[in-house]
Amino acid sequence: MVSAKQTVSTYAVILDGDTVETLELTAAQAEGIECLTCKAPCSTGEGAFRPVGRIPSVGTVFQCVACLGGAR
């Protein structure tokens, strides 16, 4: 499923704090299936995800705990 979502597109991402950034993301990252930073698939433990923003009409974007430095 994730391998079919590796097409890269440009998205306007509204990050926490209402900062808007234009990012090139895979469809899996934009749909919250992969980490926004390292592209790790959603899992538990050190790979657990935390929401960090949203893409209007697409969904919430996430980063894994490891990319967040373990704190959020």
Side-chain angles (χ1 to χ4, degrees), residues 25-67:
L25 305 173
T26 65
Q29 288 172 301
E31 294 174 18
I33 299 169
E34 290 180 339
C35 175
L36 189 64
T37 305
C38 72
K39 295 174 57 175
C42 183
S43 62
T44 58
E46 283 298 309
F49 279 20
R50 300 277 165 85
V52 293
R54 61 185 166 31
I55 301 172
S57 74
V58 176
T60 302
V61 293
F62 299 86
Q63 280 185 310
C64 64
V65 172
C67 285

Side-chain angles (χ1 to χ4, degrees), residues 23 28 43 68-69:
L23 302 174
S43 62
L68 290 168

